[in-house]
Amino acid sequence: MAGAGTFDALDLGLLQALQLDGRAALSRIARRLGASERTVARRYGRLRTLGLHVVGQPVPARVGMTRWLLRIHCTPDSAASVAQALARRPDTSWISLASGGTELYCALTTRTPHERDALLLDKLPRTPHLVGVGAHCLLRLFTGITSTWYANGAPFGAAHGREGGSSAPASRSDEHPEPVALDVTDRALLTALAKDGRAGLPELAATTGRSPSSVQRRLQRLRAQGALDFSVDFAPRHLGYDLMTHLWLQVAPGHVSAVGRALATHPEIAFAAATTGPHNVVASGVFRDSQDLYRYLDHRIGSLPGIQAAETAPILREVKRLTIST
């Protein structure tokens, strides 16, 4: 077995299999990796002690929610307290400190214009020590929100499909123009999966008050409708990737989709989306060090047609990850 600070091909294969299907049975993963189920279960337990977490998330565009990215500038002595206050809100899902600790990035999901306005027009403007707030509506996600990993040059990032034999892949949001209607049981199920995306059917049945077979049918329906996806959270630093950064790109009209699709194929990119504002594409990337980032900007970003300007903001600390209220 790999040591406490090292990872071998079996560990990385397990991480990749979970990225492809966060609820895949360990027995099926073991067969795919050519290992015993007991060995895979032991490796999975070890990774859990190091922070591995599978989270079930509603897909905002499919359930009638709008996703925002806030770029908040604070005075140096207030950023940490503002970040903690935002982290306590159930409608925030990801908060990070960047740019010398004076800039916050906050992913926010709202269900109604009233919820949006309550924070953006009422709460934040009255918060002391804020220098400025930029609110950017995410128009199209090109890849999901999770960690990114590598091994021997192969990406272990946000999956763009699921392994053979898993449940049907989530449908693209633009194939279903009408949002999926969620009932009380759906919301209870999503809340439980947000805590543990690999919770067993008996546990989910007890939480929702439904039978295990009913829960299974709901899971299959929500995934087939593109309303539910699973993210795998594992700190990239465990695999030697110590630099995370936000990328803000100005892309010429007509090139946004092409740039976004290209970013989604880059193993360095954990998240990419088209957004409102002067920078119309935003992304988050994971790199080994500053030289790794430099090569990426010079060779990968620099070679994409249509990019007019690029701004980078290294992430100093992540305050909250992977929680979306429903």
Side-chain angles (χ1 to χ4, degrees), residues 9 22-23 49 59 72 87 104 131 138 162 168 173 180 190 203 209 272 297 304-305 318:
R23 287 187 62 82
T49 66
V59 179
I72 303 172
L104 300 178
V131 177
L138 300 187
R162 290 180 170 81
S173 60
V180 174
L190 290 171
E203 181 182 346
L297 293 173
L304 293 178
E318 292 179 291

Side-chain angles (χ1 to χ4, degrees), residues 103-125:
E103 189 171 38
L104 300 178
Y105 293 87
C106 172
L108 170 76
T109 305
T110 61
R111 290 174 292 184
T112 66
H114 174 74
E115 289 184 354
R116 174 200 65 202
D117 295 346
L119 178 63
L120 300 184
L121 301 181
D122 184 24
K123 182 69 174 179
L124 282 177

Side-chain angles (χ1 to χ4, degrees), residues 19-300:
Q19 282 279 66
L20 295 172
D21 183 357
R23 287 187 62 82
L26 293 182
S27 59
R28 180 154 55 85
I29 294 176
R31 289 194 299 272
R32 179 178 182 235
L33 297 178
S36 71
E37 182 178 354
R38 182 177 180 180
T39 297
V40 170
R42 188 168 61 248
R43 296 298 184 93
Y44 174 73
R46 171 180 175 259
L47 293 173
R48 289 268 295 177
T49 66
L50 294 173
L52 173 65
H53 192 204
V54 179
V55 178
Q57 298 176 293
V59 179
R62 293 296 297 118
V63 296
M65 303 167 77
T66 303
R67 195 162 182 80
W68 296 81
L69 182 61
L70 308 184
R71 194 173 186 182
I72 303 172
H73 293 268
C74 309
T75 58
D77 60 341
S78 66
S81 60
V82 172
Q84 291 297 334
L86 287 169
R88 289 192 291 269
R89 295 179 59 95
D91 52 1
T92 61
S93 60
W94 190 70
I95 299 169
S96 63
L97 286 168
S99 301
T102 60
E103 189 171 38
L104 300 178
Y105 293 87
C106 172
L108 170 76
T109 305
T110 61
R111 290 174 292 184
T112 66
H114 174 74
E115 289 184 354
R116 174 200 65 202
D117 295 346
L119 178 63
L120 300 184
L121 301 181
D122 184 24
K123 182 69 174 179
L124 282 177
R126 294 189 300 172
T127 301
H129 308 297
L130 294 193
V131 177
V133 178
H136 308 274
C137 181
L138 300 187
L139 305 176
R140 174 66 60 86
L141 295 182
F142 298 110
T143 190
I145 304 171
T146 183
S147 301
T148 299
W149 311 308
Y150 303 78
N152 299 323
F156 289 81
H160 302 286
R162 290 180 170 81
E163 65 178 307
S166 67
S167 58
S171 303
R172 289 167 50 90
S173 60
D174 53 4
E175 294 175 355
H176 296 274
E178 294 299 323
V180 174
L182 301 178
D183 61 20
V184 174
T185 302
D186 290 330
R187 294 185 185 279
L189 179 59
L190 290 171
T191 298
L193 292 170
K195 297 175 182 177
D196 181 5
R198 291 183 61 81
L201 291 178
E203 181 182 346
L204 294 174
T207 300
T208 60
R210 301 285 181 170
S211 68
S213 59
S214 175
V215 168
Q216 178 70 357
R217 288 193 297 271
R218 284 177 180 267
L219 280 171
Q220 292 173 342
R221 173 176 58 81
L222 290 171
R223 295 183 79 172
Q225 291 175 324
L228 170 64
D229 206 352
F230 292 88
S231 294
V232 180
D233 185 24
F234 190 65
R237 68 178 182 276
H238 289 314
L239 298 175
Y241 291 82
D242 295 320
L243 178 60
M244 296 183 65
T245 187
H246 293 294
L247 303 174
W248 294 86
L249 306 178
Q250 288 183 355
V251 181
H255 291 270
V256 173
S257 291
V259 168
R261 289 193 297 268
L263 291 174
T265 67
H266 294 176
E268 297 88 352
I269 297 300
F271 163 71
T275 183
T276 59
H279 297 88
N280 49 2
V281 173
V282 62
S284 296
V286 182
F287 308 90
R288 288 194 180 277
D289 51 34
S290 58
Q291 288 303 308
D292 195 15
L293 172 59
Y294 173 79
R295 286 188 293 270
Y296 177 75
L297 293 173
D298 192 38
H299 299 295
R300 304 299 294 275

